[in-house]
Amino acid sequence: MSALAVSSPAIRAAQRAFPGGRDYLAACTAGLPSRATRDAVVADLDAAAAGRVDLASYCAAVERSRALFGALVGVGAERVAIGSQTSVAAGLIAASLPDGAEVLVPEGEFSSMVLPFVHAGRGIRVRTAPLPELASAVSADTALVAFSIVQSATGEVADAAAIVAASARHGALTLCDATQAVGWLPVAASDFDAVVCHAYKWLCAPRGVAFLALSERLASRMTPIHAGWYAGDDPWSSCYGGEVELATDARRFDVSPAWQAFVGAAPALELFAAIDPADLHAHATGLAAAFRAGLGLPVPERASAIVTWNDPGGCDLARLTAAGLTASGRAGRARVAFHVFNDADDVDLALAALGR
C-alpha cells in the first residue's frame, strides 16, 4: 500500500513540517518536534536569555493548548484541565473513589494507569482482566474501569464502545488513557468520564504537557487536591493565601503549567488540529498495515498505527537500529510506529532491514 494513495494535501503539508521524520518509527516512544515547535521554543529561550520573559505569552500558550486539545477530542475548553503527567491525573481520580472501591484494568496496562490505584490506600482494590475480555469483566462491584485505548506494549486497540457500554450497564465510571491514540486515532472524550493524554508522543509536543478531559458526572465528585495558584478562577489574583476562589470548571483541577513546554505544545497541537482525524488514521494505519503484511503478521481486529511482534532476544530491534532506523522494544517485543511524518519509503526501509 502506498502512503501517497491515502495521503491528503494536509498530510503532505504536515510531513514537510517535520525535517527528521525519515527512518523514525518511534512516535509511540516520543514524538518529533515540528519546525514550528522548535522555532517557538528556541525563540522563547532566546528572549528569556535576553531578559525578556513574557508571562502573558506563556498563559496564552497554555490556554491555546487547552482549547486545541479540547477541539481534538470534541469537548469545550471548560472541560479540560492541564497537567504534566498522566499518573497525577489518575491519582486525582483515585482520590475521588470511595473507600473499598474496585478498579478494573487490563492485564499488562501501562503502570501510570495502574500504580495510582494500587497505592491509593483506603481499601481500593485493583482487579485485572485480559484486554479482549475487559468489557465482560465489568461487574456490579466495579466502580471504575481504567484502560488505555491503545496499549503501549502491543499496540492493541481496545473495544472502547463495548467497555463503555458494559460500564454504563453496571454504573461504573470510565477513565481512558489516550496518550497512545490522540494524534492518529480519533477519540471522543464525551464517550468517557475522563480522558487523560500526555501530548509528547503522537501530538509531538514537548514532554510535560498533559490534559485531563472530564465529564460533569465525574468532575462533581472530585476534590482539587493538587490545587495551586493556577487553579484559581483568576490565577493572577490567586498567588497568595488560602482565600482563593477556584475556577468553577475543569480548570480547578489544573496544576501549575510547565511554561516552556506549552510554548512548544501550542504549535504542535495547531498542526494536528488542522488535519482531518480520518485522514490521519488512514495514513498511519495504512502504513502499519503494509508493514504488517510484509512481515506476514496477522491483521488485528482493530487497525493500529503500532506494530509489535515477538523479539525476545532483541535481534530484530538490533537489525532495525543497525540499518539506521529508530524503533523500540517493549515486554519482549519489537515495536514500530507509523505517524504523519512517515511514508511508504519508511515501510520499505524497515522491511529491508529485517530481510523481507
Side-chain angles (χ1 to χ4, degrees), residues 24-32 179-184 198-204 272 305-306 326-328 335-342:
Y24 190 81
L25 303 177
C28 53
T29 302
L32 297 177
T179 299
Q180 290 286 8
V182 181
W184 72 267
H198 201 152
Y200 78 103
K201 292 182 183 284
W202 296 89
L203 289 172
C204 297
F272 285 98
I306 302 172
T326 301
S328 55
R335 185 177 70 160
V336 296
F338 295 93
H339 201 12
V340 64
F341 42 69
N342 298 120

PDB file of all heavy atoms in Angstrom, residues 24-32 179-184 198-204 272 305-306 326-328 335-342:
ATOM      1  N   TYR A  24      12.384   7.387  11.301  1.00  0.00           N
ATOM      2  CA  TYR A  24      11.964   7.471  12.704  1.00  0.00           C
ATOM      3  C   TYR A  24      10.634   6.748  12.868  1.00  0.00           C
ATOM      4  O   TYR A  24       9.586   7.227  12.408  1.00  0.00           O
ATOM      5  CB  TYR A  24      11.836   8.922  13.151  1.00  0.00           C
ATOM      6  CG  TYR A  24      11.631   9.058  14.649  1.00  0.00           C
ATOM      7  CD1 TYR A  24      12.717   8.994  15.523  1.00  0.00           C
ATOM      8  CD2 TYR A  24      10.359   9.219  15.181  1.00  0.00           C
ATOM      9  CE1 TYR A  24      12.532   9.096  16.898  1.00  0.00           C
ATOM     10  CE2 TYR A  24      10.159   9.323  16.547  1.00  0.00           C
ATOM     11  CZ  TYR A  24      11.255   9.259  17.399  1.00  0.00           C
ATOM     12  OH  TYR A  24      11.065   9.353  18.762  1.00  0.00           O
ATOM     13  N   LEU A  25      10.665   5.599  13.525  1.00  0.00           N
ATOM     14  CA  LEU A  25       9.482   4.755  13.697  1.00  0.00           C
ATOM     15  C   LEU A  25       9.182   4.590  15.181  1.00  0.00           C
ATOM     16  O   LEU A  25       8.895   3.500  15.662  1.00  0.00           O
ATOM     17  CB  LEU A  25       9.719   3.382  13.046  1.00  0.00           C
ATOM     18  CG  LEU A  25      10.085   3.406  11.549  1.00  0.00           C
ATOM     19  CD1 LEU A  25      10.356   2.000  11.048  1.00  0.00           C
ATOM     20  CD2 LEU A  25       8.985   4.063  10.728  1.00  0.00           C
ATOM     21  N   ALA A  26       9.229   5.692  15.913  1.00  0.00           N
ATOM     22  CA  ALA A  26       9.105   5.605  17.366  1.00  0.00           C
ATOM     23  C   ALA A  26       8.224   6.698  17.948  1.00  0.00           C
ATOM     24  O   ALA A  26       8.453   7.151  19.069  1.00  0.00           O
ATOM     25  CB  ALA A  26      10.498   5.643  18.006  1.00  0.00           C
ATOM     26  N   ALA A  27       7.184   7.097  17.229  1.00  0.00           N
ATOM     27  CA  ALA A  27       6.259   8.081  17.798  1.00  0.00           C
ATOM     28  C   ALA A  27       5.587   7.547  19.050  1.00  0.00           C
ATOM     29  O   ALA A  27       5.149   8.313  19.908  1.00  0.00           O
ATOM     30  CB  ALA A  27       5.206   8.473  16.768  1.00  0.00           C
ATOM     31  N   CYS A  28       5.495   6.218  19.178  1.00  0.00           N
ATOM     32  CA  CYS A  28       4.908   5.617  20.376  1.00  0.00           C
ATOM     33  C   CYS A  28       5.828   5.761  21.583  1.00  0.00           C
ATOM     34  O   CYS A  28       5.402   5.551  22.727  1.00  0.00           O
ATOM     35  CB  CYS A  28       4.586   4.148  20.138  1.00  0.00           C
ATOM     36  SG  CYS A  28       5.975   3.178  19.512  1.00  0.00           S
ATOM     37  N   THR A  29       7.085   6.130  21.359  1.00  0.00           N
ATOM     38  CA  THR A  29       8.029   6.408  22.447  1.00  0.00           C
ATOM     39  C   THR A  29       8.102   7.903  22.713  1.00  0.00           C
ATOM     40  O   THR A  29       7.957   8.354  23.849  1.00  0.00           O
ATOM     41  CB  THR A  29       9.436   5.878  22.100  1.00  0.00           C
ATOM     42  OG1 THR A  29       9.361   4.469  21.857  1.00  0.00           O
ATOM     43  CG2 THR A  29      10.411   6.154  23.231  1.00  0.00           C
ATOM     44  N   ALA A  30       8.302   8.676  21.678  1.00  0.00           N
ATOM     45  CA  ALA A  30       8.325  10.135  21.784  1.00  0.00           C
ATOM     46  C   ALA A  30       8.146  10.713  20.391  1.00  0.00           C
ATOM     47  O   ALA A  30       8.767  10.244  19.434  1.00  0.00           O
ATOM     48  CB  ALA A  30       9.646  10.625  22.381  1.00  0.00           C
ATOM     49  N   GLY A  31       7.278  11.693  20.287  1.00  0.00           N
ATOM     50  CA  GLY A  31       7.074  12.348  19.005  1.00  0.00           C
ATOM     51  C   GLY A  31       8.233  13.265  18.658  1.00  0.00           C
ATOM     52  O   GLY A  31       9.084  13.580  19.501  1.00  0.00           O
ATOM     53  N   LEU A  32       8.254  13.688  17.399  1.00  0.00           N
ATOM     54  CA  LEU A  32       9.287  14.605  16.938  1.00  0.00           C
ATOM     55  C   LEU A  32       8.761  16.040  16.943  1.00  0.00           C
ATOM     56  O   LEU A  32       7.594  16.275  16.619  1.00  0.00           O
ATOM     57  CB  LEU A  32       9.713  14.249  15.506  1.00  0.00           C
ATOM     58  CG  LEU A  32      10.350  12.886  15.297  1.00  0.00           C
ATOM     59  CD1 LEU A  32      10.643  12.681  13.809  1.00  0.00           C
ATOM     60  CD2 LEU A  32      11.621  12.745  16.120  1.00  0.00           C
ATOM     61  N   THR A 179      -3.033   8.591  25.528  1.00  0.00           N
ATOM     62  CA  THR A 179      -1.681   9.048  25.200  1.00  0.00           C
ATOM     63  C   THR A 179      -1.168   8.401  23.925  1.00  0.00           C
ATOM     64  O   THR A 179      -0.481   9.046  23.123  1.00  0.00           O
ATOM     65  CB  THR A 179      -0.732   8.748  26.375  1.00  0.00           C
ATOM     66  OG1 THR A 179      -1.186   9.458  27.531  1.00  0.00           O
ATOM     67  CG2 THR A 179       0.697   9.172  26.062  1.00  0.00           C
ATOM     68  N   GLN A 180      -1.473   7.117  23.723  1.00  0.00           N
ATOM     69  CA  GLN A 180      -1.005   6.417  22.518  1.00  0.00           C
ATOM     70  C   GLN A 180      -2.016   6.501  21.375  1.00  0.00           C
ATOM     71  O   GLN A 180      -1.895   5.766  20.401  1.00  0.00           O
ATOM     72  CB  GLN A 180      -0.729   4.945  22.855  1.00  0.00           C
ATOM     73  CG  GLN A 180       0.475   4.719  23.750  1.00  0.00           C
ATOM     74  CD  GLN A 180       1.796   4.902  23.021  1.00  0.00           C
ATOM     75  OE1 GLN A 180       1.847   5.345  21.869  1.00  0.00           O
ATOM     76  NE2 GLN A 180       2.891   4.575  23.694  1.00  0.00           N
ATOM     77  N   ALA A 181      -2.975   7.400  21.485  1.00  0.00           N
ATOM     78  CA  ALA A 181      -4.038   7.443  20.482  1.00  0.00           C
ATOM     79  C   ALA A 181      -4.215   8.803  19.834  1.00  0.00           C
ATOM     80  O   ALA A 181      -4.176   8.918  18.599  1.00  0.00           O
ATOM     81  CB  ALA A 181      -5.356   7.007  21.125  1.00  0.00           C
ATOM     82  N   VAL A 182      -4.434   9.857  20.629  1.00  0.00           N
ATOM     83  CA  VAL A 182      -4.742  11.165  20.051  1.00  0.00           C
ATOM     84  C   VAL A 182      -3.547  11.623  19.217  1.00  0.00           C
ATOM     85  O   VAL A 182      -2.428  11.702  19.699  1.00  0.00           O
ATOM     86  CB  VAL A 182      -5.067  12.197  21.143  1.00  0.00           C
ATOM     87  CG1 VAL A 182      -5.418  13.544  20.503  1.00  0.00           C
ATOM     88  CG2 VAL A 182      -6.232  11.718  22.008  1.00  0.00           C
ATOM     89  N   GLY A 183      -3.814  11.923  17.971  1.00  0.00           N
ATOM     90  CA  GLY A 183      -2.766  12.240  17.016  1.00  0.00           C
ATOM     91  C   GLY A 183      -2.795  11.296  15.834  1.00  0.00           C
ATOM     92  O   GLY A 183      -2.262  11.610  14.778  1.00  0.00           O
ATOM     93  N   TRP A 184      -3.448  10.126  16.002  1.00  0.00           N
ATOM     94  CA  TRP A 184      -3.669   9.230  14.857  1.00  0.00           C
ATOM     95  C   TRP A 184      -5.019   8.512  14.939  1.00  0.00           C
ATOM     96  O   TRP A 184      -5.609   8.181  13.913  1.00  0.00           O
ATOM     97  CB  TRP A 184      -2.549   8.195  14.714  1.00  0.00           C
ATOM     98  CG  TRP A 184      -2.553   7.100  15.757  1.00  0.00           C
ATOM     99  CD1 TRP A 184      -1.880   7.088  16.939  1.00  0.00           C
ATOM    100  CD2 TRP A 184      -3.275   5.856  15.702  1.00  0.00           C
ATOM    101  NE1 TRP A 184      -2.151   5.940  17.637  1.00  0.00           N
ATOM    102  CE2 TRP A 184      -2.990   5.162  16.900  1.00  0.00           C
ATOM    103  CE3 TRP A 184      -4.124   5.274  14.770  1.00  0.00           C
ATOM    104  CZ2 TRP A 184      -3.539   3.907  17.188  1.00  0.00           C
ATOM    105  CZ3 TRP A 184      -4.682   4.024  15.052  1.00  0.00           C
ATOM    106  CH2 TRP A 184      -4.373   3.358  16.240  1.00  0.00           C
ATOM    107  N   HIS A 198      -0.983  12.471  27.661  1.00  0.00           N
ATOM    108  CA  HIS A 198       0.293  13.181  27.669  1.00  0.00           C
ATOM    109  C   HIS A 198       0.658  13.434  26.208  1.00  0.00           C
ATOM    110  O   HIS A 198       0.700  12.497  25.408  1.00  0.00           O
ATOM    111  CB  HIS A 198       1.369  12.349  28.360  1.00  0.00           C
ATOM    112  CG  HIS A 198       2.525  13.160  28.849  1.00  0.00           C
ATOM    113  ND1 HIS A 198       3.291  12.809  29.926  1.00  0.00           N
ATOM    114  CD2 HIS A 198       3.043  14.334  28.406  1.00  0.00           C
ATOM    115  CE1 HIS A 198       4.229  13.716  30.138  1.00  0.00           C
ATOM    116  NE2 HIS A 198       4.095  14.651  29.220  1.00  0.00           N
ATOM    117  N   ALA A 199       0.915  14.684  25.864  1.00  0.00           N
ATOM    118  CA  ALA A 199       0.981  15.103  24.463  1.00  0.00           C
ATOM    119  C   ALA A 199       2.348  14.944  23.811  1.00  0.00           C
ATOM    120  O   ALA A 199       2.522  15.364  22.673  1.00  0.00           O
ATOM    121  CB  ALA A 199       0.537  16.563  24.350  1.00  0.00           C
ATOM    122  N   TYR A 200       3.310  14.329  24.506  1.00  0.00           N
ATOM    123  CA  TYR A 200       4.662  14.287  23.946  1.00  0.00           C
ATOM    124  C   TYR A 200       4.882  13.132  22.980  1.00  0.00           C
ATOM    125  O   TYR A 200       5.957  13.022  22.372  1.00  0.00           O
ATOM    126  CB  TYR A 200       5.709  14.225  25.065  1.00  0.00           C
ATOM    127  CG  TYR A 200       5.895  12.877  25.716  1.00  0.00           C
ATOM    128  CD1 TYR A 200       6.984  12.076  25.397  1.00  0.00           C
ATOM    129  CD2 TYR A 200       4.998  12.405  26.662  1.00  0.00           C
ATOM    130  CE1 TYR A 200       7.170  10.838  25.999  1.00  0.00           C
ATOM    131  CE2 TYR A 200       5.170  11.189  27.272  1.00  0.00           C
ATOM    132  CZ  TYR A 200       6.261  10.401  26.934  1.00  0.00           C
ATOM    133  OH  TYR A 200       6.433   9.179  27.540  1.00  0.00           O
ATOM    134  N   LYS A 201       3.890  12.280  22.802  1.00  0.00           N
ATOM    135  CA  LYS A 201       4.048  11.173  21.868  1.00  0.00           C
ATOM    136  C   LYS A 201       3.435  11.542  20.520  1.00  0.00           C
ATOM    137  O   LYS A 201       4.040  12.243  19.728  1.00  0.00           O
ATOM    138  CB  LYS A 201       3.435   9.900  22.459  1.00  0.00           C
ATOM    139  CG  LYS A 201       4.215   9.381  23.685  1.00  0.00           C
ATOM    140  CD  LYS A 201       3.628   8.108  24.228  1.00  0.00           C
ATOM    141  CE  LYS A 201       4.359   7.635  25.481  1.00  0.00           C
ATOM    142  NZ  LYS A 201       5.663   7.010  25.182  1.00  0.00           N
ATOM    143  N   TRP A 202       2.208  11.136  20.268  1.00  0.00           N
ATOM    144  CA  TRP A 202       1.619  11.297  18.939  1.00  0.00           C
ATOM    145  C   TRP A 202       1.240  12.731  18.618  1.00  0.00           C
ATOM    146  O   TRP A 202       1.023  13.075  17.450  1.00  0.00           O
ATOM    147  CB  TRP A 202       0.420  10.374  18.804  1.00  0.00           C
ATOM    148  CG  TRP A 202       0.810   8.925  18.877  1.00  0.00           C
ATOM    149  CD1 TRP A 202       0.909   8.165  20.007  1.00  0.00           C
ATOM    150  CD2 TRP A 202       1.188   8.081  17.794  1.00  0.00           C
ATOM    151  NE1 TRP A 202       1.313   6.898  19.687  1.00  0.00           N
ATOM    152  CE2 TRP A 202       1.496   6.812  18.335  1.00  0.00           C
ATOM    153  CE3 TRP A 202       1.276   8.261  16.416  1.00  0.00           C
ATOM    154  CZ2 TRP A 202       1.893   5.734  17.543  1.00  0.00           C
ATOM    155  CZ3 TRP A 202       1.674   7.184  15.625  1.00  0.00           C
ATOM    156  CH2 TRP A 202       1.975   5.941  16.188  1.00  0.00           C
ATOM    157  N   LEU A 203       1.152  13.585  19.622  1.00  0.00           N
ATOM    158  CA  LEU A 203       0.870  15.001  19.368  1.00  0.00           C
ATOM    159  C   LEU A 203       2.139  15.833  19.249  1.00  0.00           C
ATOM    160  O   LEU A 203       2.079  17.045  19.011  1.00  0.00           O
ATOM    161  CB  LEU A 203      -0.044  15.568  20.456  1.00  0.00           C
ATOM    162  CG  LEU A 203      -1.483  15.052  20.386  1.00  0.00           C
ATOM    163  CD1 LEU A 203      -2.283  15.508  21.604  1.00  0.00           C
ATOM    164  CD2 LEU A 203      -2.162  15.505  19.099  1.00  0.00           C
ATOM    165  N   CYS A 204       3.285  15.206  19.434  1.00  0.00           N
ATOM    166  CA  CYS A 204       4.584  15.812  19.117  1.00  0.00           C
ATOM    167  C   CYS A 204       4.864  17.104  19.885  1.00  0.00           C
ATOM    168  O   CYS A 204       5.559  18.002  19.386  1.00  0.00           O
ATOM    169  CB  CYS A 204       4.705  16.069  17.613  1.00  0.00           C
ATOM    170  SG  CYS A 204       4.640  14.552  16.624  1.00  0.00           S
ATOM    171  N   PHE A 272      -1.874  19.442  14.324  1.00  0.00           N
ATOM    172  CA  PHE A 272      -2.757  18.277  14.265  1.00  0.00           C
ATOM    173  C   PHE A 272      -4.226  18.675  14.167  1.00  0.00           C
ATOM    174  O   PHE A 272      -5.025  17.959  13.553  1.00  0.00           O
ATOM    175  CB  PHE A 272      -2.497  17.368  15.465  1.00  0.00           C
ATOM    176  CG  PHE A 272      -1.215  16.597  15.327  1.00  0.00           C
ATOM    177  CD1 PHE A 272      -0.060  17.036  15.950  1.00  0.00           C
ATOM    178  CD2 PHE A 272      -1.151  15.469  14.533  1.00  0.00           C
ATOM    179  CE1 PHE A 272       1.133  16.359  15.792  1.00  0.00           C
ATOM    180  CE2 PHE A 272       0.037  14.771  14.361  1.00  0.00           C
ATOM    181  CZ  PHE A 272       1.185  15.215  14.992  1.00  0.00           C
ATOM    182  N   ALA A 305      -1.754   1.942  14.442  1.00  0.00           N
ATOM    183  CA  ALA A 305      -0.554   2.550  13.862  1.00  0.00           C
ATOM    184  C   ALA A 305       0.711   1.951  14.450  1.00  0.00           C
ATOM    185  O   ALA A 305       1.812   2.248  13.990  1.00  0.00           O
ATOM    186  CB  ALA A 305      -0.572   4.056  14.101  1.00  0.00           C
ATOM    187  N   ILE A 306       0.563   1.124  15.487  1.00  0.00           N
ATOM    188  CA  ILE A 306       1.695   0.487  16.158  1.00  0.00           C
ATOM    189  C   ILE A 306       1.721  -0.987  15.767  1.00  0.00           C
ATOM    190  O   ILE A 306       0.689  -1.663  15.808  1.00  0.00           O
ATOM    191  CB  ILE A 306       1.594   0.618  17.687  1.00  0.00           C
ATOM    192  CG1 ILE A 306       1.519   2.088  18.096  1.00  0.00           C
ATOM    193  CG2 ILE A 306       2.763  -0.068  18.378  1.00  0.00           C
ATOM    194  CD1 ILE A 306       1.231   2.302  19.571  1.00  0.00           C
ATOM    195  N   THR A 326      15.052   4.218  13.839  1.00  0.00           N
ATOM    196  CA  THR A 326      14.767   4.333  15.266  1.00  0.00           C
ATOM    197  C   THR A 326      13.464   3.610  15.553  1.00  0.00           C
ATOM    198  O   THR A 326      12.408   3.983  15.052  1.00  0.00           O
ATOM    199  CB  THR A 326      14.642   5.808  15.691  1.00  0.00           C
ATOM    200  OG1 THR A 326      15.866   6.481  15.384  1.00  0.00           O
ATOM    201  CG2 THR A 326      14.374   5.918  17.185  1.00  0.00           C
ATOM    202  N   ALA A 327      13.565   2.546  16.346  1.00  0.00           N
ATOM    203  CA  ALA A 327      12.402   1.771  16.763  1.00  0.00           C
ATOM    204  C   ALA A 327      12.529   1.549  18.260  1.00  0.00           C
ATOM    205  O   ALA A 327      13.340   2.190  18.933  1.00  0.00           O
ATOM    206  CB  ALA A 327      12.328   0.451  15.992  1.00  0.00           C
ATOM    207  N   SER A 328      11.741   0.640  18.810  1.00  0.00           N
ATOM    208  CA  SER A 328      11.784   0.415  20.244  1.00  0.00           C
ATOM    209  C   SER A 328      11.427  -1.031  20.539  1.00  0.00           C
ATOM    210  O   SER A 328      10.933  -1.761  19.672  1.00  0.00           O
ATOM    211  CB  SER A 328      10.826   1.361  20.981  1.00  0.00           C
ATOM    212  OG  SER A 328       9.505   1.243  20.478  1.00  0.00           O
ATOM    213  N   ARG A 335       8.935  -3.100  18.414  1.00  0.00           N
ATOM    214  CA  ARG A 335       7.791  -2.196  18.256  1.00  0.00           C
ATOM    215  C   ARG A 335       8.159  -1.076  17.295  1.00  0.00           C
ATOM    216  O   ARG A 335       9.167  -0.399  17.468  1.00  0.00           O
ATOM    217  CB  ARG A 335       7.419  -1.624  19.624  1.00  0.00           C
ATOM    218  CG  ARG A 335       6.191  -0.763  19.641  1.00  0.00           C
ATOM    219  CD  ARG A 335       5.870  -0.294  21.058  1.00  0.00           C
ATOM    220  NE  ARG A 335       6.853   0.685  21.541  1.00  0.00           N
ATOM    221  CZ  ARG A 335       6.636   1.532  22.556  1.00  0.00           C
ATOM    222  NH1 ARG A 335       5.493   1.486  23.210  1.00  0.00           N
ATOM    223  NH2 ARG A 335       7.564   2.382  22.912  1.00  0.00           N
ATOM    224  N   VAL A 336       7.318  -0.884  16.282  1.00  0.00           N
ATOM    225  CA  VAL A 336       7.481   0.249  15.372  1.00  0.00           C
ATOM    226  C   VAL A 336       6.155   0.990  15.296  1.00  0.00           C
ATOM    227  O   VAL A 336       5.081   0.419  15.525  1.00  0.00           O
ATOM    228  CB  VAL A 336       7.927  -0.183  13.959  1.00  0.00           C
ATOM    229  CG1 VAL A 336       9.303  -0.830  13.992  1.00  0.00           C
ATOM    230  CG2 VAL A 336       6.903  -1.115  13.326  1.00  0.00           C
ATOM    231  N   ALA A 337       6.240   2.266  15.001  1.00  0.00           N
ATOM    232  CA  ALA A 337       5.048   3.109  14.907  1.00  0.00           C
ATOM    233  C   ALA A 337       5.144   3.951  13.644  1.00  0.00           C
ATOM    234  O   ALA A 337       6.221   4.434  13.288  1.00  0.00           O
ATOM    235  CB  ALA A 337       4.936   4.012  16.134  1.00  0.00           C
ATOM    236  N   PHE A 338       4.013   4.135  12.978  1.00  0.00           N
ATOM    237  CA  PHE A 338       3.962   4.929  11.760  1.00  0.00           C
ATOM    238  C   PHE A 338       3.075   6.145  12.002  1.00  0.00           C
ATOM    239  O   PHE A 338       1.918   6.015  12.394  1.00  0.00           O
ATOM    240  CB  PHE A 338       3.434   4.081  10.600  1.00  0.00           C
ATOM    241  CG  PHE A 338       4.358   2.954  10.245  1.00  0.00           C
ATOM    242  CD1 PHE A 338       4.189   1.699  10.809  1.00  0.00           C
ATOM    243  CD2 PHE A 338       5.417   3.157   9.375  1.00  0.00           C
ATOM    244  CE1 PHE A 338       5.055   0.655  10.499  1.00  0.00           C
ATOM    245  CE2 PHE A 338       6.294   2.124   9.055  1.00  0.00           C
ATOM    246  CZ  PHE A 338       6.108   0.865   9.623  1.00  0.00           C
ATOM    247  N   HIS A 339       3.666   7.322  11.742  1.00  0.00           N
ATOM    248  CA  HIS A 339       2.970   8.558  12.063  1.00  0.00           C
ATOM    249  C   HIS A 339       2.873   9.451  10.829  1.00  0.00           C
ATOM    250  O   HIS A 339       3.256   9.055   9.724  1.00  0.00           O
ATOM    251  CB  HIS A 339       3.689   9.269  13.201  1.00  0.00           C
ATOM    252  CG  HIS A 339       2.835  10.253  13.946  1.00  0.00           C
ATOM    253  ND1 HIS A 339       1.482  10.322  13.795  1.00  0.00           N
ATOM    254  CD2 HIS A 339       3.162  11.228  14.854  1.00  0.00           C
ATOM    255  CE1 HIS A 339       0.997  11.284  14.572  1.00  0.00           C
ATOM    256  NE2 HIS A 339       1.990  11.846  15.221  1.00  0.00           N
ATOM    257  N   VAL A 340       2.404  10.660  11.033  1.00  0.00           N
ATOM    258  CA  VAL A 340       2.161  11.568   9.926  1.00  0.00           C
ATOM    259  C   VAL A 340       3.441  11.851   9.150  1.00  0.00           C
ATOM    260  O   VAL A 340       3.405  12.058   7.924  1.00  0.00           O
ATOM    261  CB  VAL A 340       1.533  12.886  10.441  1.00  0.00           C
ATOM    262  CG1 VAL A 340       2.476  13.641  11.360  1.00  0.00           C
ATOM    263  CG2 VAL A 340       1.073  13.766   9.289  1.00  0.00           C
ATOM    264  N   PHE A 341       4.601  11.850   9.829  1.00  0.00           N
ATOM    265  CA  PHE A 341       5.845  12.191   9.143  1.00  0.00           C
ATOM    266  C   PHE A 341       6.474  10.999   8.421  1.00  0.00           C
ATOM    267  O   PHE A 341       7.519  11.143   7.789  1.00  0.00           O
ATOM    268  CB  PHE A 341       6.860  12.803  10.118  1.00  0.00           C
ATOM    269  CG  PHE A 341       6.945  12.129  11.460  1.00  0.00           C
ATOM    270  CD1 PHE A 341       7.470  10.856  11.600  1.00  0.00           C
ATOM    271  CD2 PHE A 341       6.496  12.787  12.593  1.00  0.00           C
ATOM    272  CE1 PHE A 341       7.552  10.251  12.832  1.00  0.00           C
ATOM    273  CE2 PHE A 341       6.562  12.193  13.840  1.00  0.00           C
ATOM    274  CZ  PHE A 341       7.097  10.918  13.961  1.00  0.00           C
ATOM    275  N   ASN A 342       5.861   9.824   8.490  1.00  0.00           N
ATOM    276  CA  ASN A 342       6.373   8.646   7.789  1.00  0.00           C
ATOM    277  C   ASN A 342       5.663   8.469   6.450  1.00  0.00           C
ATOM    278  O   ASN A 342       4.600   9.036   6.212  1.00  0.00           O
ATOM    279  CB  ASN A 342       6.180   7.389   8.635  1.00  0.00           C
ATOM    280  CG  ASN A 342       6.942   7.436   9.938  1.00  0.00           C
ATOM    281  OD1 ASN A 342       6.348   7.358  11.016  1.00  0.00           O
ATOM    282  ND2 ASN A 342       8.245   7.586   9.865  1.00  0.00           N
TER     283      ASN A 342
END
